[in-house]
Amino acid sequence: MKPNSKLITGLVSTALILFPGLALAQDGLNGANTSWILTSTALVLFMTLPGLSLFYAGLVRTKNVLSVLMQCFSIAVVISIVWLLVGYSIAFGPSESAWWGGLGKAFFSGVDAGAMSGDIPETVFAAFQMTFAIITPALIVGAFVERIKFCSMLAFTVLWALLVYFPVANWVWGGGWLGQMGLIDFAGGTVVHLTAGVAALVLALELGKRDGFLTASVVPHNLTMSFTGAAMLWVGWFGFNAGSALAADNAAGMALYVTHTSAAAGALTWMVLDWFKFGKASGLGAITGMVAGLATITPAAGSVGPMGGLLLGLIGGVICYFVTIYMKQRLKIDDSLDVFPVHGIGGLTGTLLAAILVSGGLGVFSGTGMPDGMTVGSQFVVQLIGVVTIGLYTGVLTWVIVKIVSAVMGLRIGADEEQVGLDITEHDEKGYSM
Amino acid sequence: MKPNSKLITGLVSTALILFPGLALAQDGLNGANTSWILTSTALVLFMTLPGLSLFYAGLVRTKNVLSVLMQCFSIAVVISIVWLLVGYSIAFGPSESAWWGGLGKAFFSGVDAGAMSGDIPETVFAAFQMTFAIITPALIVGAFVERIKFCSMLAFTVLWALLVYFPVANWVWGGGWLGQMGLIDFAGGTVVHLTAGVAALVLALELGKRDGFLTASVVPHNLTMSFTGAAMLWVGWFGFNAGSALAADNAAGMALYVTHTSAAAGALTWMVLDWFKFGKASGLGAITGMVAGLATITPAAGSVGPMGGLLLGLIGGVICYFVTIYMKQRLKIDDSLDVFPVHGIGGLTGTLLAAILVSGGLGVFSGTGMPDGMTVGSQFVVQLIGVVTIGLYTGVLTWVIVKIVSAVMGLRIGADEEQVGLDITEHDEKGYSM
Amino acid sequence: MKPNSKLITGLVSTALILFPGLALAQDGLNGANTSWILTSTALVLFMTLPGLSLFYAGLVRTKNVLSVLMQCFSIAVVISIVWLLVGYSIAFGPSESAWWGGLGKAFFSGVDAGAMSGDIPETVFAAFQMTFAIITPALIVGAFVERIKFCSMLAFTVLWALLVYFPVANWVWGGGWLGQMGLIDFAGGTVVHLTAGVAALVLALELGKRDGFLTASVVPHNLTMSFTGAAMLWVGWFGFNAGSALAADNAAGMALYVTHTSAAAGALTWMVLDWFKFGKASGLGAITGMVAGLATITPAAGSVGPMGGLLLGLIGGVICYFVTIYMKQRLKIDDSLDVFPVHGIGGLTGTLLAAILVSGGLGVFSGTGMPDGMTVGSQFVVQLIGVVTIGLYTGVLTWVIVKIVSAVMGLRIGADEEQVGLDITEHDEKGYSM
Amino acid sequence: MKLIVAIIKPYKSDDVREVVSELGVSGMTLTEVKGFGRQKGHTELYRGAEYVIDFLPKVKLEIAVEDDRADQIVEAICKAANTGKIGDGKIFVCSLEQTIRIRTGETGNDAL
Amino acid sequence: MKLIVAIIKPYKSDDVREVVSELGVSGMTLTEVKGFGRQKGHTELYRGAEYVIDFLPKVKLEIAVEDDRADQIVEAICKAANTGKIGDGKIFVCSLEQTIRIRTGETGNDAL
Amino acid sequence: MKLIVAIIKPYKSDDVREVVSELGVSGMTLTEVKGFGRQKGHTELYRGAEYVIDFLPKVKLEIAVEDDRADQIVEAICKAANTGKIGDGKIFVCSLEQTIRIRTGETGNDAL
Ligand SMILES: Nc1ncnc2c1ncn2[C@@H]1O[C@H](COP(=O)(O)OP(=O)(O)O)[C@@H](O)[C@H]1O
Ligand SMILES: Nc1ncnc2c1ncn2[C@@H]1O[C@H](COP(=O)(O)OP(=O)(O)O)[C@@H](O)[C@H]1O
Ligand SMILES: Nc1ncnc2c1ncn2[C@@H]1O[C@H](COP(=O)(O)OP(=O)(O)O)[C@@H](O)[C@H]1O
């Protein structure tokens, strides 16, 4: 494809002299997209550290605050290492298989300073995806806070990433079978939120309830901390969703806008529902609704329009609200920080609704238009297949991993340790010594 | 304007092959600018959530900390929804009127994935501007903390945005009459800070003083929280001011630099003044001076040079310092977190001084040069008109809105509730349960 | 170099019509790089405010928390002013000298809205570098917390920046003799971390120990605050290292990725070592290891590959761990927050190892390849010269400055003030009044 | 000597300090406590669930006084801390065997 | 009247509140305190160093009761707070000369 | 038995704990309190305004001891907590009617 007309060559070099900025564009690098994905990588890491960490840590009791921060932090640490060693390769490696990426890029072999992924450096793509691999197991933390052994938590996390997250990421985003089938999951409704939610549910059931569950002695110790973390999640989510466009373009812009709108709609929903149910809008309700709105829009952020984003936030908000209550009040499952009802159900709802709201024929609620050769019906079937298979796969594998870890090293700390709190028993530290 | 020479077309396609990064430049998209405004949008949201929220929440008493966080958060939520429904259209809609944008873009109609605003996607422009629409009413929170009803606060906010913020934004930035007149307001000295400051003053007067005002029992409960928020404001302000260039270019660079310098100069001023007055530099003084410096530079960030930025920070710092003292000690007005003296006066000062410091003939203090056909005098008159009309308009409209809300649902909580604190009475929650 | 063929001119204007985004590329501006460095500037400021401030403030006792926040904040303030007045010029001014930049750019003269630095606006380059000049003295804070006079601290900071930081920055990055010699210091292993570490050591020795040093009464008052700050440091470091590429390109991508990996490796190392030594992984240990990994990779972030980043984090982690223990337990030096063992030793280690890991012939551990005309040996000698001269220069100059400040205004507060705490004695404020 | 222990509503502590200062009491010690009593605690919301918090924030003031001034001071506290609403609190009076001022070693009434 | 002061493990406070409520005690005051005793404090890590923290978190309950119910209540607290492990805490009983309910001015047993 | 209540400067609490431990006292309870007294509180700044904070941070130590060791211990505390500066604090001594160790049910001196 190299042009060999002398004139053209001359023009091109002239252009390079005139527009030095273009020089970088050689070899296909798009600096603008690179800039935005570098930024998005920072934003998504920021979601976990400190965003999610603070959000979760504020919701537990004082005696466990540091253990939650450490759970999130150490997950980021070990996943980062595993990502380098094999994770990236399993998820995005060059294998032809529709089931995993193979080990061709283990140890980042071949991912040197010159490697490209589309029009951005491969290192940038790999770093961006890594931040997703970090936050997904970190989301699960909400299920097992205040009672899990630190070492078992780490072992679980590594196994879970290897057996659940990396393969599923391959299926959907790495060229695997679900992606080939046309599953719409822009930024992780299934890959991230559904897997995390289902895993959380399994863990909550296996671990059992915290001592004092559903009594006033288990109230959040610091809602200002949770609020701070929630606000960071909102901001960071711009990188999560708009970064998933892998470009600084119109798709990114729309993703950012609908993401924001859905967050606001989810928060509003919870405020209104709390107001109806209890006569007051609670702060924790508002920020939880925000997370529900964000989880719901995530798979659909590349498909829906502004009003579609509003709708998703409202619907996701309502559904997550009632599932949260049902799980806690009726089923009495101690998914302590409501990972399944908020992330699992939110991600599931958004993934299914994306099939509808992507349609270009919904008037003011129109999305970006049905993918080629798809109808709302056929797309919905694909989405359903995605949700069901990923949900089942995650549930079964998580259960197996939990059983293994449990057998080998035990899962739950003793009752005495639980009284004292994990900060002291697992880390010999206290959050506050004021 | 379409080129029809075959040769040129050929060259262009060749160029696209050679420089794939350019493909995005089709249809006028500038990826670099898009990248920076996406980032700026995140930065400005970050200023409100968690920045300003923490800054303000740390300054109130423990029993009201969560209510302040909720005020800021819920303002972000409702304004985001109103923005989608009509706000964006009123501020930046297509109407020919010099007074508002009309309803042509209500429900974001026409703002689809292909819509552009200049060389960035319209969604990005709209999202960026939305973050300004969020922070402006959030700034007003400082006036009514610790004593306003939550529902009245929400009603006030929505009405105020509709009747004050969206129209004023149109006048100055949306093609309205003040913009046409040549008012210099780069990032919101009048649109944001003056309107917020004046509204705060009106609300403070209408609401009356907090119980315990000016006694030691009303000291900030957590200055580390305020410090954290202030630092976030500083960082986020880079998006606010440098993002207002709507491009990643020299104007953005200069805006960022002068913004930073003015923040530092404002902080230094308060430290020195505190030192002279009390023998010690207080931390709260330093961060307040920083905000004063930032508010002051905001309208002028596109006009002044580095030393001009320094000067603005110093002057704004001094003026805001003494007005703050005067309002509190002499007038005994409980504008609780000093919104008017810091933001109102800062924004006003910067707007007026922009007329002078924009001039290219001030030696080392030169700015970017007078706009075409303007002299310092004529520009100053324009600035004065802007400040006076926006100030008056905001004052009157705010007063009317307050009276209406007050009549319909009441404004201030009861004395007993004030004793207990808004966290419990308005939200059934506590900030800390440590 | 101006093309004068009519045809070409015509084509170029056509191109500008076709690709309006290119218009900005005139005069050599690269918008993508500008966007990323604007972002990086925000990220690096974020490292100091609030990142490092919170990291440090959480580690001191309640009575000194605000003083630490104020130390970091006021350092940012005064350095920003000094940077504008002379600092930028000394570090990056136009002088031909290999020892300093001269005063040609004092008061930012000539740095107007049109000035360029490479393909980004000079204001952006200057702002980015300023954030480095801010964080370096802020790192030193860790050595003197809880016992230094506020005014002496400010005087020391200004003198130290003038006599140590600005010149050393010139030597390495501003065209000075070490840069000419080929010293590899991508983002500040010597300029930032080594200078800060050595200065910290000198100050710790001169100031003496805190009352209660090495007893349980001097435990961190709020590890959740330190954790929050540490997480912000991690995120902000992306701007620090990847921004140092001064472009949004492959070098930036690799720098970001290896930076992240080294942070994770450093954290893992400390967790494992704590586990072996004490039977538990401590949270403070984990985040300290993270900082050690980050300091170590900093000079090498432009030279090593992914596995090289892992190695650096592991090695830096181990070395910093044992030096930290040795300094505290054996030498009983109260470098209170371990600036020397973490930053000084980390920066030194990374600077030396860069000579090896830059090599392209290390298989999976290969870096970007030896610079032209260099061997591992010759490069190592250059690195050694850099480390030794900068270390010695910093040590001597810091000692002189400390002696001068000490003689003129005293350095350490009185024993009574130390009991009461700096928040009250130096600022008439308290961190918490809950 | 008597030790007067008053458990009152937090926002009343400044008022009480003032009245007893006026009566010549030169010192007192304040502790933040949580009280359980007839006054109902408040409800807290947690994601669709409601919890009743039984313990309410109160302030405990301890004031050591000479025997003959105890009644007068108790009365003054009672007045200053009274709002007429449930939860106003209690005053307990114990006998104090000895008081020592650490700085001087003074004992008894001199130490107050 | 007696003032019963019980220093117990923090997580036992709800249990104790319940049993004494059942015995008709209508109020009590809780303070978060730190206890030093036979129970060993824990170790804290700080960057390669270890510190022993001597003081452990405890809760102090103060309950004013009529003389004749004191023994019964002390016994009940003892039972509810007992875990059989070192550090369970202590109960101290002092004599109370007077009690006043601030709201009503009632005194003595009526004020409890 | 006696209950010794010492209100001291916070940074003196370790010293006091040490000396009384040396005298064989095996336990004590510490509460963070705020003291009002002859020692002047500090000034706090708030955006151009100044407030005087009357209450200063203090630490309250409660130590139950056998009758015959009370004087000796009071004296030791006095010495350890003394700085000679205003605000050193006070020691109050009350009579204790009963002490019970929750873990074992022991009473009286055995429970200390
Ligand atoms: N028997 C008691 N022993 C110790 N403290 C008590 C007792 N009864 C009440 N209190 C304290 O007094 C406070 C107020 O008591 P409460 O019964 O609510 O109202 P009132 O004082 O108006 O009767 C309680 O919150 C508690 O702190
Ligand atoms: N002599 C004492 N005076 C006051 N408080 C005491 C005394 N001895 C113990 N305590 C309190 O009781 C708590 C438990 O005492 P400890 O000796 O640890 O165990 P145990 O109660 O099982 O003997 C201590 O933490 C302390 O708060
Ligand atoms: N009458 C009192 N009753 C209870 N506590 C007191 C009394 N007087 C002083 N205190 C406590 O003792 C502390 C020290 O008293 P202060 O008058 O400041 O100094 P000094 O003990 O040197 O006379 C006070 O802060 C307060 O906590």
Side-chain angles (χ1 to χ4, degrees), chain F residues 11-73:
Chain F
Y11 70 91
K12 281 294 184 186
S13 51
D14 272 335
D15 294 353
V16 171
R17 180 180 51 77
E18 260 167 51
V19 300
V20 298
S21 294
E22 275 162 26
L23 291 177
V25 169
S26 63
M28 71 184 70
T29 300
L30 179 158
T31 315
E32 276 157 21
V33 298
K34 291 176 186 160
F36 172 76
R38 285 182 181 76
Q39 186 190 5
K40 282 296 130 269
H42 60 268
T43 295
E44 287 193 21
L45 294 178
Y46 179 87
R47 288 181 173 167
E50 260 181 324
Y51 300 102
V52 178
I53 306 295
D54 291 313
F55 284 95
L56 290 162
K58 300 278 170 192
V59 152
K60 176 166 88 175
L61 295 176
E62 288 167 300
I63 313 178
V65 298
E66 298 89 341
D67 285 321
D68 50 0
R69 289 170 52 185
D71 287 350
Q72 182 194 14
I73 289 167

Side-chain angles (χ1 to χ4, degrees), chain A residues 295-311:
Chain A
T296 305
I297 192 71
T298 294
S303 309
V304 305
M307 291 297 289
L310 180 71
L311 215 60

Side-chain angles (χ1 to χ4, degrees), chain D residues 7-9 33-40 54-59 84-92, chain E residues 2-4 25-30 61-66 96 99-104 106 110-112:
Chain D
I7 292 157
I8 60 173
K9 292 190 168 160
V33 299
K34 292 176 185 159
F36 172 77
R38 285 181 180 78
Q39 186 189 6
K40 282 294 129 272
D54 292 313
F55 284 95
L56 291 161
K58 299 278 171 194
V59 151
K85 298 216 187 83
I86 206 164
D88 275 353
K90 310 263 190 255
I91 300 176
F92 302 123
Chain E
K2 305 287 182 208
L3 184 66
I4 303 175
V25 168
S26 63
M28 72 185 70
T29 300
L30 179 157
L61 295 175
E62 288 168 299
I63 313 178
V65 298
E66 297 89 343
L96 254 189
T99 302
I100 302 104
R101 166 172 287 127
I102 292 175
R103 170 167 47 99
T104 58
E106 286 162 289
D110 295 344
L112 292 176

